[in-house]
Amino acid sequence: MRRLSTVVASCGHLTSPAGDAWVSVSLTFQGLKALGVPPDSLNSFPPEFQQGMAARANELGDTEENAPQNWEKPLGTPDVHVVLTALSPTDQQLEPVLERARKAYQEMQGIKAIWRQNCHASANGKEPFGFRDGISHPAVEGSGIPGTNPKEQPIKAGEFVLGYKDETGGYASIPQPEVLGRNGTYVVFRKLHQQVAAFRQYLKANSSGPEEEELLGAKMMGRWRSGAPLALCPARDNPELGADPKRNNDFLFQDADPKGFVTPPRAHIRRMNPRDTLGDRTIVNLHRMIRRGTNYGPPFPEGVLEDDGIDRGLMFAFVGAHLRRQFEFVQSEWVNSGLFIGSKDEKDPIAGANNGADRFTVPRQPVRRSLLNLPRFVVTRGGEYCFMPGIRALRWLAELDS
Ligand code: HEM
């Protein structure tokens, strides 16, 4: 932990000590235990974090195909203690940092790298289903970084970093002692396998031609492939708008489209951030998240409809101060239940645990369109709940006698 504390960048000095790479370190509950964190302190972490992601399978929709017994090992086992994440603009810049990290632990007894996942941002910024990702992010009050949606207010820092005021006007419960909890946050990693061939087949089977396929995909996502939102271009894609960060997230839903004739209430982005549609904006603000997911695996060649058996998808990463009311709430209530939009059984058409008997309804005049037999396009391959300590906390951990 002491060695790592010297390579993690500080918010106070934004330059990374690891040069052109950014390194972060986070620990599972089992990892904190193995380091010798005292019981009083361990017990001050929220119960869902103590239990770990695999134990929360029922809450998260990780059942059937998604169940922990089918996960890639060692994910979801007590053996995962520390997660190191390294990020850089190129592979060449990443390698020296990884080499340094390897040297740090190879010399140490009792530490072994047991899993590694390479990820990459695609050249066109698209995730494996073919939609531009990484567009909409909440602005964090006090960060000085402008939000992506000029129509949304910045969110209080305490929603994302422990030790600061949050949207309730109070503070998230902070792990003790204060030096350990303050400036820390929770990170959720999930390896999500995407069944790209099944997704393409479904669009094709439920459309009369390529144009309708694109429209159906956009109705499921809430955005066209270019990233252009249906809310701003309902009839066809507009790649110029999709690529323009000043315009591609500048919208709300309610006034222009209360019934969802343009962006269906069941569409992925309208579920994940209903913006102004739940009446009281403060409710939505309690369930925002910072996302830092990237692709893994090779892209699926254009036009192919048959599965090639190769694993590809999204390494989903959530960052937030409240595991339960942010990640777990969104995953259980907005991804895997449709109660909040008046249709209990309709799960998220993209990320939901659909099983072939599910439905996706597209509001339309004169009659809505109900698409049946929605298969599962995303399968959980595994994941972990982690705590990402601040730099002072890393030093505190380094002083522990294990
Ligand atoms: C493999 C599964 C998934 C895929 C392919 C996917 C893809 C996308 C895409 C293309 C966007 C629109 C671009 C953007 O706004 O950045 C988006 C937005 C978003 N997704 Fe996902 N997503 C997946 C799973 C999830 C899960 C599991 C969650 C939460 C538990 C989630 C939460 C969000 C949120 C919060 C937004 C931003 C909504 C907004 O502010 O408009 N996604 N996703």
Side-chain angles (χ1 to χ4, degrees), residues 111-385:
I111 298 184
K112 215 162 92 188
I114 54 173
W115 191 74
R116 173 176 172 169
Q117 180 66 58
N118 289 341
C119 306
H120 51 271
S122 65
N124 55 16
K126 293 183 176 173
E127 50 71 41
F129 290 142
F131 293 83
R132 184 189 297 272
D133 202 357
I135 297 174
S136 177
H137 304 292
V140 183
E141 194 179 270
S143 70
I145 303 168
T148 54
N149 184 351
K151 296 186 169 61
E152 284 177 344
Q153 291 299 314
I155 307 282
K156 295 267 185 261
E159 290 294 315
F160 306 109
V161 190
L162 294 166
Y164 300 84
K165 238 187 204 159
D166 68 17
E167 287 288 317
T168 64
Y171 296 83
S173 95
I174 178 166
Q176 295 300 314
E178 218 226 343
V179 59
L180 173 63
R182 194 173 169 78
N183 288 327
T185 190
Y186 295 97
V187 187
V188 172
F189 294 105
R190 265 165 98 73
K191 183 171 179 181
L192 300 176
H193 165 65
Q194 291 178 241
Q195 320 227 60
V196 184
F199 183 70
R200 288 184 189 170
Q201 285 167 18
Y202 189 79
L203 294 186
K204 202 175 175 65
N206 288 282
S207 311
S208 58
E211 250 179 54
E212 210 183 295
E213 271 177 51
E214 289 308 288
L215 180 63
L216 175 56
K219 291 284 182 188
M220 292 165 99
M221 188 59 84
R223 292 183 184 272
W224 299 92
R225 290 185 190 269
S226 75
L230 280 171
L232 298 180
C233 29
R236 62 189 59 83
D237 200 353
N238 177 343
E240 205 188 311
L241 173 58
D244 182 351
K246 287 212 163 59
R247 293 189 292 151
N248 63 13
N249 203 32
D250 185 0
F251 62 93
L252 297 173
F253 294 118
Q254 189 61 19
D255 288 347
D257 185 25
K259 296 219 154 63
F261 290 125
V262 176
T263 312
R266 284 107 171 135
H268 181 62
I269 69 157
R270 193 160 173 166
R271 302 175 77 113
M272 296 299 93
N273 178 11
R275 302 184 187 215
D276 56 340
T277 59
L278 298 186
D280 185 352
R281 288 285 283 282
T282 53
I283 294 180
V284 173
N285 288 351
L286 297 177
H287 309 295
R288 301 298 305 277
M289 61 183 73
I290 291 178
R291 288 174 302 135
R292 283 292 179 273
T294 34
N295 303 353
Y296 74 87
F300 194 49
E302 283 297 321
V304 176
L305 288 173
E306 285 313 311
D307 188 20
D308 59 4
I310 297 178
D311 192 12
R312 58 174 64 79
L314 191 74
M315 263 316 286
F316 174 88
F318 152 103
V319 181
H322 300 268
L323 274 180
R324 194 160 165 70
R325 83 158 149 78
Q326 293 171 325
F327 173 69
E328 290 199 341
F329 178 90
V330 171
Q331 178 69 27
S332 65
E333 299 303 317
W334 291 356
V335 172
N336 283 326
S337 166
L339 202 57
F340 76 113
I341 41 173
S343 186
K344 184 171 170 293
D345 296 330
E346 283 194 58
K347 305 183 183 83
D348 188 304
I350 301 286
N354 295 301
N355 67 6
D358 288 278
R359 195 166 35 122
F360 172 58
T361 307
V362 184
R364 219 176 42 169
Q365 277 167 325
V367 282
R368 66 181 177 211
R369 180 168 185 214
S370 270
L371 289 116
L372 303 174
N373 306 329
L374 195 65
R376 183 175 311 209
F377 299 122
V378 172
V379 180
T380 315
R381 287 270 196 256
E384 293 291 342
Y385 283 169

